Amino acid sequence: MTISECINWLVEYGITCGLTEEEDRIYKTNSLMEALKLNEIEEGKGDIPVSRDQLDRVLEEVLDYAVSTGIIEEGITSRDLFDTKIMGILTPLPGTVIRRFNLLKEKDTKAATDYFYKLSGDCNYIRTNRVKKDMKWKIESDYGQIDITINLSKPEKDPRAIAAAKLMKKSGYPACQLCVENEGYAGRKDHPARQNLRIIPLVMNNEDWGFQYSPYVYYNEHCIILNRKHVPMKIDRATFVKLLDFVEQFPHYILGSNADLPIVGGSILTHDHFQGGNYEFAMARAGIEKKIVIKDFEDVDADIVKWPMSVIRLTAAHKDRLISLADKILITWRGYTDEKTFIFAETNGEKHNTITPIARMKNGKYQLDLVLRNNITTEEHPLGVYHPHSELHHIKKENIGLIEVMGCAILPARLKKELEDVKTALINNTDITADPVLVQHAPWVKELRDNYGKFDAGNVDDIIRNEVGKVFVKVLEDAGVYKCTDEGRAAFLRFIDKINE
């Protein structure tokens, strides 16, 4: 395609999918020409069908042109900055998006989120073609069907951009990648461009929040709800109010929060935010292990969930009662110590106990899952006692955040090649102990050989997928403060007794 054909195709694409009005055709064409330093344009849009699945192909043509003419330098970072600028030209202004969303929301909240999710994909804020690269499968476990993903959608850091970023003057604007000031921001070598980001204003607990989607969705309609102020994560009574306010407004969505302490929290603790979406995770489908009764809250259904992590599920018709009980459990847990189970609320002035909460509407009632967390470390477990233990680090070493707590593994990109190499070694019966990368998998590979014996092209894929899933289940079991044993469950009930005191 010529650059003229690319520009005409992009404008036609914007009009076809509703990003751009027909009346804006000339204006958008001229805006794209300006970005590409063109003074004139020819007619025609080439032979490529105008559709979402062809967008990346056309953008690649535009990026190649921009590199060849010196508009941008080569490299994934420069290309991402520039294609976001191009798509930002086609994306409706925030006010237009907000008005359309709110108009739809007055009649049907699902129609509003459907519109916003489609727009976020059409404008390439959600990088759909990259998300498709993620490896995904499901495995059966004692706790139900678990989701396993290997995250391949986020691009690797460009070494040239890393070097250039080191030479740049450090900027405090935006303060982080979750700040509302990212909306429309041009980006730089060390910060992504966000001209095609749109944020919907929300009110939760009488506070101003923003609703956007994740650019690398891990599950259906993966959204981020962010505080419009740059304030740190905090789990308290107000958290439960905000979570339930959201699911009351959007009953087809769930919403949860990462914990507010290192190790058991998410990757960004400096900016208060939640994550949600239109997806039923394995933990939501998990059965009830034991019903419990909390004194003075007999009107709230309370259960221990059959799950590798330690989950109390609360369900009630009235959210105020749910909030009050959740707050009581949180306060009790914050100060709870059980030395026999190696649970310490505090050591040397450092607090360890917190909660990962998840909210949803269930059969017309409000529901909260409260996952008990503790971030204590020891010499034996320097990354955390309730964190994946070292024998599992060959598959998962990173923190166990909200999404994984709910039963969706987010495994590192390195596993794509490593697991292929492990499969080859299993089929050929070769030794991997001399390989500096694969040696970390050696004990696991020995276990697989002992358990399965023979491997071939017909069985190795299913075996590896299933066994990776088993490792992730063990990861969740390690992260659980109360183990799924008689002793662990007895200790769990001691905590319930403490709530009832």
Side-chain angles (χ1 to χ4, degrees):
M1 295 177 75
T2 66
I3 193 60
S4 292
E5 289 174 335
C6 289
I7 290 173
N8 292 328
W9 189 99
L10 286 168
V11 173
E12 190 66 35
Y13 167 82
I15 293 169
T16 300
C17 66
L19 294 175
T20 298
E21 303 286 342
E22 174 61 43
E23 293 83 354
D24 296 332
R25 182 186 291 273
I26 294 173
Y27 182 89
K28 296 295 183 179
T29 299
N30 286 331
S31 298
L32 290 171
M33 287 171 58
E34 180 185 10
L36 289 158
K37 302 187 184 306
L38 294 172
N39 294 320
E40 57 184 6
I41 190 170
E42 298 174 356
E43 294 184 357
K45 59 180 185 296
D47 298 326
I48 297 177
V50 178
S51 64
R52 176 68 185 87
D53 58 2
Q54 297 295 326
L55 176 61
D56 277 45
R57 179 178 171 185
V58 176
L59 286 175
E60 283 299 311
E61 297 262 10
V62 172
L63 292 169
D64 289 344
Y65 173 86
V67 170
S68 68
T69 55
I71 297 172
I72 63 171
E73 61 187 37
E74 184 57 273
I76 184 66
T77 301
S78 296
R79 293 172 80 93
D80 277 3
L81 289 170
F82 194 72
D83 74 3
T84 304
K85 178 179 181 176
I86 293 297
M87 292 308 298
I89 292 170
L90 297 177
T91 306
L93 289 172
T96 301
V97 176
I98 292 165
R99 284 189 292 273
R100 176 67 174 158
F101 181 92
N102 287 335
L103 189 65
L104 291 168
K105 184 171 178 273
E106 287 177 5
K107 298 179 180 179
D108 183 354
T109 55
K110 187 175 185 304
T113 56
D114 285 349
Y115 156 74
F116 189 38
Y117 189 61
K118 179 180 181 299
L119 179 140
S120 298
D122 288 344
C123 73
N124 211 37
Y125 181 73
I126 299 173
R127 292 187 174 261
T128 307
N129 279 6
R130 288 185 183 171
V131 173
K132 288 177 182 177
K133 296 177 183 177
D134 289 346
M135 298 172 63
K136 299 183 179 184
W137 66 93
K138 298 178 184 290
I139 62 111
E140 298 296 333
S141 77
D142 291 341
Y143 309 100
Q145 198 174 65
I146 305 291
D147 291 307
I148 309 296
T149 71
I150 295 179
N151 178 24
L152 303 171
S153 54
K154 288 187 179 180
E156 296 294 326
K157 297 282 187 180
D158 183 347
R160 288 166 293 192
I162 294 172
K166 287 180 180 178
L167 300 175
M168 290 175 61
K169 181 182 177 181
K170 294 300 178 185
S171 172
Y173 183 91
C176 78
Q177 291 190 27
L178 292 179
C179 287
V180 292
E181 289 80 12
N182 282 280
E183 188 175 38
Y185 187 61
R188 53 184 191 265
K189 297 291 186 183
D190 61 347
H191 194 101
R194 291 290 184 252
Q195 290 102 322
N196 56 353
L197 167 63
R198 296 295 177 263
I199 300 173
I200 303 294
L202 294 180
V203 175
M204 304 189 305
N205 192 31
N206 298 314
E207 295 177 5
D208 292 328
W209 289 70
F211 172 8
Q212 67 171 76
Y213 287 103
S214 168
Y216 301 106
V217 290
Y218 290 131
Y219 51 87
N220 187 48
E221 296 178 51
H222 178 187
C223 66
I224 300 172
I225 310 302
L226 48 92
N227 197 316
R228 294 189 73 89
K229 297 178 181 177
H230 183 69
V231 294
M233 298 283 292
K234 184 180 182 181
I235 303 295
D236 58 11
R237 180 188 180 93
T239 302
F240 307 131
V241 178
K242 286 174 269 199
L243 291 175
L244 293 172
D245 275 0
F246 179 86
V247 297
E248 187 175 51
Q249 292 182 60
F250 302 95
H252 59 298
Y253 271 25
I254 63 163
L255 193 68
S257 175
N258 270 305
D260 54 355
L261 294 178
I263 296 176
V264 295
S267 58
I268 300 178
L269 294 176
T270 55
H271 193 119
D272 200 11
H273 68 286
F274 306 118
Q275 294 183 78
N278 187 7
Y279 191 70
E280 186 178 54
F281 286 89
M283 191 174 78
R285 298 190 299 268
I288 300 306
E289 183 178 304
K290 185 177 181 64
K291 287 195 165 294
I292 54 177
V293 177
I294 307 298
K295 186 173 65 176
D296 299 329
F297 289 92
E298 289 81 4
D299 57 319
V300 178
D301 290 333
D303 306 285
I304 293 175
V305 179
K306 185 182 178 183
W307 191 246
M309 298 186 71
S310 308
V311 186
I312 300 172
R313 177 168 293 161
L314 308 177
T315 309
H318 303 287
K319 68 178 180 179
D320 289 346
R321 296 290 290 161
L322 206 60
I323 291 162
S324 294
L325 179 50
D327 187 44
K328 179 181 176 69
I329 292 170
L330 173 64
I331 291 170
T332 305
W333 179 245
R334 289 279 197 197
Y336 185 71
T337 291
D338 182 351
E339 294 186 13
K340 289 197 299 184
T341 318
F342 205 78
I343 293 172
F344 294 88
E346 183 179 313
T347 57
N348 300 319
E350 180 184 356
K351 297 184 183 301
H352 297 302
N353 288 349
T354 186
I355 278 176
T356 299
I358 301 101
R360 65 181 73 87
M361 298 298 297
K362 189 74 172 179
N363 299 324
K365 293 185 176 182
Y366 300 93
Q367 191 170 87
L368 276 174
D369 283 353
L370 305 178
V371 187
L372 307 180
R373 311 297 301 272
N374 180 287
N375 75 345
I376 196 167
T377 61
T378 63
E379 287 187 10
E380 183 184 1
H381 301 295
L383 298 182
V385 173
Y386 305 106
H387 178 89
H389 290 177
S390 57
E391 67 273 15
L392 308 178
H393 288 179
H394 67 108
I395 297 294
K396 179 68 177 178
K397 183 179 182 179
E398 299 76 16
N399 290 355
I400 303 305
L402 169 68
I403 296 170
E404 290 168 314
V405 164
M406 295 189 289
C408 177
I410 302 172
L411 303 180
R414 62 176 173 83
L415 286 178
K416 179 182 180 182
K417 183 176 188 310
E418 289 176 19
L419 292 179
E420 286 301 318
D421 291 343
V422 164
K423 291 177 196 175
T424 300
L426 288 170
I427 292 171
N428 297 332
N429 197 29
T430 53
D431 182 18
I432 64 171
T433 56
D435 188 306
V437 174
L438 295 185
V439 66
Q440 64 180 321
H441 298 290
W444 182 55
V445 166
K446 181 181 183 304
E447 183 181 330
L448 296 181
R449 284 175 171 149
D450 291 343
N451 290 342
Y452 291 95
K454 180 176 174 54
F455 299 88
D456 56 44
N459 69 5
V460 72
D461 286 341
D462 287 343
I463 289 172
I464 289 296
R465 281 194 291 266
N466 194 48
E467 292 297 327
V468 167
K470 288 180 181 179
V471 171
F472 178 66
V473 170
K474 290 179 182 177
V475 162
L476 293 181
E477 290 172 340
D478 280 353
V481 293
Y482 295 117
K483 307 308 176 188
C484 296
T485 62
D486 290 344
E487 182 182 32
R489 286 351 227 182
F492 202 160
L493 291 177
R494 287 200 297 274
F495 172 63
I496 302 301
D497 290 340
K498 183 68 175 178
I499 300 170
N500 277 316
E501 287 182 0

